[in-house]
Amino acid sequence: IDDIVSSRKQLTNLINRINAQCRKRFEESFQQVRRHFNELFRKLFGGGKADIFLTDPDNVLESGIEIVARPPGKELRTLSLLSGGEKVLVSLAVLFSFFKARPSPFCLLDEVDAALDEANTERFARLLKEFLHNTQFIIITHCKRTIAIADQLYGLTMHHPGVSTLISVRFEEASKLIERARVAKKPQTIGA
Protein backbone atom coordinates (compact mmCIF):
# COMPACT_ATOMS: atom_id res chain seq x y z
CA ILE A 1 0.00 0.00 0.00
CA ASP A 2 2.86 2.39 0.82
CA ASP A 3 4.36 1.72 -2.62
CA ILE A 4 1.04 2.51 -4.36
CA VAL A 5 0.53 5.70 -2.31
CA SER A 6 4.12 6.80 -3.07
CA SER A 7 3.70 6.10 -6.80
CA ARG A 8 0.42 8.01 -6.86
CA LYS A 9 2.04 10.99 -5.13
CA GLN A 10 4.96 10.97 -7.61
CA LEU A 11 2.57 10.74 -10.54
CA THR A 12 0.45 13.61 -9.20
CA ASN A 13 3.57 15.76 -8.75
CA LEU A 14 4.71 14.93 -12.29
CA ILE A 15 1.29 15.85 -13.73
CA ASN A 16 1.31 19.14 -11.81
CA ARG A 17 4.84 19.98 -13.09
CA ILE A 18 3.86 19.16 -16.69
CA ASN A 19 0.67 21.25 -16.41
CA ALA A 20 2.62 24.20 -15.00
CA GLN A 21 5.17 23.96 -17.81
CA CYS A 22 2.42 23.67 -20.46
CA ARG A 23 0.57 26.64 -18.96
CA LYS A 24 3.75 28.75 -18.99
CA ARG A 25 4.62 27.83 -22.60
CA PHE A 26 1.05 28.38 -23.77
CA GLU A 27 0.85 31.80 -22.12
CA GLU A 28 4.19 32.87 -23.66
CA SER A 29 3.18 31.65 -27.12
CA PHE A 30 -0.29 33.15 -26.82
CA GLN A 31 1.13 36.58 -25.98
CA GLN A 32 3.49 36.39 -28.99
CA VAL A 33 0.65 35.39 -31.32
CA ARG A 34 -1.58 38.11 -29.86
CA ARG A 35 1.05 40.80 -30.47
CA HIS A 36 1.73 39.60 -34.03
CA PHE A 37 -1.99 39.25 -34.78
CA ASN A 38 -2.72 42.92 -34.09
CA GLU A 39 0.25 43.96 -36.24
CA LEU A 40 -0.67 41.68 -39.16
CA PHE A 41 -4.35 42.62 -38.94
CA ARG A 42 -3.46 46.29 -39.43
CA LYS A 43 -1.20 45.36 -42.34
CA LEU A 44 -3.89 43.28 -44.09
CA PHE A 45 -6.70 45.77 -43.48
CA GLY A 46 -4.67 48.93 -43.93
CA GLY A 47 -5.52 50.00 -40.36
CA GLY A 48 -8.09 49.10 -37.73
CA LYS A 49 -7.60 47.12 -34.57
CA ALA A 50 -8.00 43.48 -33.54
CA ASP A 51 -7.38 41.31 -30.53
CA ILE A 52 -7.42 37.69 -29.42
CA PHE A 53 -8.26 36.89 -25.84
CA LEU A 54 -8.95 33.86 -23.68
CA THR A 55 -12.53 33.25 -22.58
CA ASP A 56 -11.28 31.83 -19.26
CA PRO A 57 -7.89 33.41 -18.44
CA ASP A 58 -7.77 31.65 -15.04
CA ASN A 59 -7.77 28.23 -16.72
CA VAL A 60 -5.66 28.72 -19.86
CA LEU A 61 -5.35 25.01 -20.67
CA GLU A 62 -9.15 24.62 -20.88
CA SER A 63 -10.05 28.11 -22.11
CA GLY A 64 -11.61 29.01 -25.43
CA ILE A 65 -10.28 31.80 -27.64
CA GLU A 66 -12.31 34.81 -28.79
CA ILE A 67 -11.35 37.04 -31.71
CA VAL A 68 -12.63 40.60 -32.07
CA ALA A 69 -11.89 42.92 -34.96
CA ARG A 70 -12.52 46.50 -35.96
CA PRO A 71 -11.68 47.03 -39.64
CA PRO A 72 -11.00 50.68 -40.56
CA GLY A 73 -14.17 52.76 -40.44
CA LYS A 74 -16.23 50.06 -38.71
CA GLU A 75 -17.22 49.26 -35.15
CA LEU A 76 -15.73 46.48 -33.02
CA ARG A 77 -17.21 43.09 -34.00
CA THR A 78 -16.80 39.42 -33.27
CA LEU A 79 -15.58 37.24 -36.10
CA SER A 80 -19.07 35.87 -36.83
CA LEU A 81 -20.37 39.35 -37.75
CA LEU A 82 -17.73 40.11 -40.40
CA SER A 83 -18.17 39.72 -44.16
CA GLY A 84 -16.70 36.71 -45.98
CA GLY A 85 -13.65 38.62 -47.23
CA GLU A 86 -13.07 40.17 -43.79
CA LYS A 87 -13.25 36.73 -42.16
CA VAL A 88 -10.62 35.46 -44.59
CA LEU A 89 -8.29 38.37 -43.83
CA VAL A 90 -8.73 37.89 -40.07
CA SER A 91 -8.08 34.16 -40.45
CA LEU A 92 -4.95 34.88 -42.49
CA ALA A 93 -3.77 37.32 -39.82
CA VAL A 94 -4.21 34.60 -37.17
CA LEU A 95 -2.46 31.96 -39.31
CA PHE A 96 0.49 34.20 -40.14
CA SER A 97 0.71 35.26 -36.47
CA PHE A 98 1.40 31.62 -35.65
CA PHE A 99 4.03 31.49 -38.40
CA LYS A 100 5.65 34.64 -37.06
CA ALA A 101 5.77 33.23 -33.52
CA ARG A 102 6.82 29.73 -34.59
CA PRO A 103 7.93 29.53 -38.24
CA SER A 104 7.03 26.40 -40.19
CA PRO A 105 9.09 25.06 -43.13
CA PHE A 106 6.04 24.70 -45.39
CA CYS A 107 2.35 25.56 -45.61
CA LEU A 108 -0.47 24.42 -47.89
CA LEU A 109 -3.20 27.00 -48.60
CA ASP A 110 -6.28 25.94 -50.54
CA GLU A 111 -8.33 28.69 -52.20
CA VAL A 112 -7.76 31.11 -49.30
CA ASP A 113 -8.04 34.05 -51.70
CA ALA A 114 -11.38 33.00 -53.23
CA ALA A 115 -13.47 35.48 -51.19
CA LEU A 116 -11.00 38.38 -51.58
CA ASP A 117 -11.35 41.30 -53.97
CA GLU A 118 -8.34 42.53 -55.98
CA ALA A 119 -7.10 45.03 -53.38
CA ASN A 120 -7.24 42.47 -50.57
CA THR A 121 -5.62 39.82 -52.76
CA GLU A 122 -2.78 42.27 -53.35
CA ARG A 123 -2.39 42.79 -49.57
CA PHE A 124 -2.40 39.02 -49.06
CA ALA A 125 0.28 38.61 -51.73
CA ARG A 126 2.50 41.27 -50.10
CA LEU A 127 2.13 39.57 -46.72
CA LEU A 128 2.92 36.19 -48.23
CA LYS A 129 6.17 37.53 -49.71
CA GLU A 130 7.32 38.56 -46.21
CA PHE A 131 7.21 34.94 -45.06
CA LEU A 132 8.95 33.32 -48.03
CA HIS A 133 12.38 33.41 -46.35
CA ASN A 134 11.20 30.94 -43.65
CA THR A 135 8.32 29.06 -45.23
CA GLN A 136 7.66 27.39 -48.58
CA PHE A 137 4.03 27.84 -49.63
CA ILE A 138 1.98 25.57 -51.83
CA ILE A 139 -1.12 27.49 -52.88
CA ILE A 140 -4.11 26.07 -54.68
CA THR A 141 -5.81 29.00 -56.41
CA HIS A 142 -7.50 30.30 -59.53
CA CYS A 143 -6.70 33.94 -58.74
CA LYS A 144 -4.35 35.52 -61.30
CA ARG A 145 -2.85 37.96 -58.77
CA THR A 146 -1.88 35.11 -56.46
CA ILE A 147 -0.53 33.03 -59.35
CA ALA A 148 1.61 36.02 -60.40
CA ILE A 149 3.72 35.85 -57.21
CA ALA A 150 4.55 32.16 -57.67
CA ASP A 151 8.01 30.88 -58.58
CA GLN A 152 6.61 27.73 -60.10
CA LEU A 153 3.19 26.78 -61.43
CA TYR A 154 1.67 23.32 -61.58
CA GLY A 155 -1.52 22.41 -63.36
CA LEU A 156 -3.46 19.50 -64.74
CA THR A 157 -4.65 19.14 -68.28
CA MET A 158 -6.70 16.46 -69.98
CA HIS A 159 -5.69 16.04 -73.66
CA HIS A 160 -7.53 12.72 -73.89
CA PRO A 161 -10.73 11.92 -71.96
CA GLY A 162 -9.89 10.29 -68.63
CA VAL A 163 -6.12 10.87 -68.92
CA SER A 164 -4.78 13.69 -66.75
CA THR A 165 -1.34 15.14 -67.41
CA LEU A 166 0.64 17.23 -64.95
CA ILE A 167 2.27 20.34 -66.37
CA SER A 168 4.86 22.49 -64.64
CA VAL A 169 6.27 25.91 -65.42
CA ARG A 170 9.19 27.49 -63.59
CA PHE A 171 8.79 31.22 -64.19
CA GLU A 172 12.52 31.97 -64.04
CA GLU A 173 13.24 29.45 -66.81
CA ALA A 174 10.24 30.67 -68.85
CA SER A 175 11.58 34.24 -68.67
CA LYS A 176 14.97 33.09 -69.98
CA LEU A 177 13.31 31.23 -72.88
CA ILE A 178 11.24 34.29 -73.77
CA GLU A 179 14.35 36.49 -73.72
CA ARG A 180 16.27 34.04 -75.94
CA ALA A 181 13.37 33.96 -78.41
CA ARG A 182 13.23 37.77 -78.44
CA VAL A 183 16.98 38.02 -79.15
CA ALA A 184 16.73 35.41 -81.92
CA LYS A 185 13.92 37.38 -83.64
CA LYS A 186 15.85 40.70 -83.69
CA PRO A 187 16.91 41.65 -87.21
CA GLN A 188 20.64 41.44 -87.76
CA THR A 189 22.33 44.60 -89.05
CA ILE A 190 25.50 44.44 -91.10
CA GLY A 191 27.99 47.23 -90.49
CA ALA A 192 30.07 48.70 -93.34
Side-chain angles (χ1 to χ4, degrees):
I1 291 176
D2 289 343
D3 190 36
I4 292 173
V5 170
S6 173
S7 295
R8 182 178 181 197
K9 188 175 182 181
Q10 288 176 354
L11 188 59
T12 302
N13 288 339
L14 178 64
I15 290 170
N16 289 338
R17 269 198 338 261
I18 290 171
N19 281 343
Q21 190 175 30
C22 287
R23 189 176 299 108
K24 180 183 176 202
R25 284 186 177 181
F26 178 83
E27 287 172 344
E28 289 170 357
S29 296
F30 183 78
Q31 289 308 318
Q32 282 182 326
V33 168
R34 186 177 185 194
R35 192 173 52 253
H36 296 310
F37 172 66
N38 196 12
E39 169 197 335
L40 294 174
F41 177 88
R42 286 192 310 270
K43 198 175 275 191
L44 282 170
F45 278 89
K49 188 174 181 177
D51 200 3
I52 302 175
F53 59 91
L54 298 172
T55 57
D56 185 4
D58 296 329
N59 188 6
V60 296
L61 298 179
E62 301 291 325
S63 177
I65 295 174
E66 185 71 33
I67 299 172
V68 292
R70 186 179 59 80
K74 294 188 177 183
E75 61 191 47
L76 192 65
R77 299 176 179 186
T78 61
L79 191 58
S80 61
L81 296 175
L82 297 175
S83 72
E86 290 170 334
K87 286 179 185 176
V88 169
L89 289 178
V90 170
S91 299
L92 288 169
V94 171
L95 176 69
F96 283 97
S97 298
F98 284 115
F99 281 143
K100 203 161 193 170
R102 301 273 192 265
S104 173
F106 66 92
C107 175
L108 174 66
L109 300 173
D110 185 5
E111 295 285 347
V112 295
D113 53 1
L116 299 178
D117 60 14
E118 286 192 28
N120 287 331
T121 302
E122 187 66 35
R123 286 187 184 129
F124 163 62
R126 279 195 307 265
L127 181 66
L128 196 61
K129 287 179 184 178
E130 291 180 27
F131 287 83
L132 290 177
H133 61 280
N134 286 331
T135 304
Q136 181 177 5
F137 291 92
I138 300 170
I139 303 173
I140 300 168
T141 186
H142 293 95
C143 179
K144 291 176 186 175
R145 286 190 184 268
T146 305
I147 291 171
I149 65 169
D151 295 327
Q152 190 161 349
L153 181 67
Y154 291 98
L156 288 173
T157 184
M158 197 178 294
H159 288 295
H160 305 289
V163 180
S164 297
T165 305
L166 178 68
I167 57 171
S168 170
V169 176
R170 198 174 265 281
F171 290 122
E172 186 177 306
E173 291 172 12
S175 296
K176 289 177 185 176
L177 287 173
I178 291 169
E179 185 59 34
R180 276 191 240 143
R182 191 177 302 141
V183 169
K185 284 185 177 182
K186 276 188 177 178
Q188 301 278 331
T189 57
I190 300 174

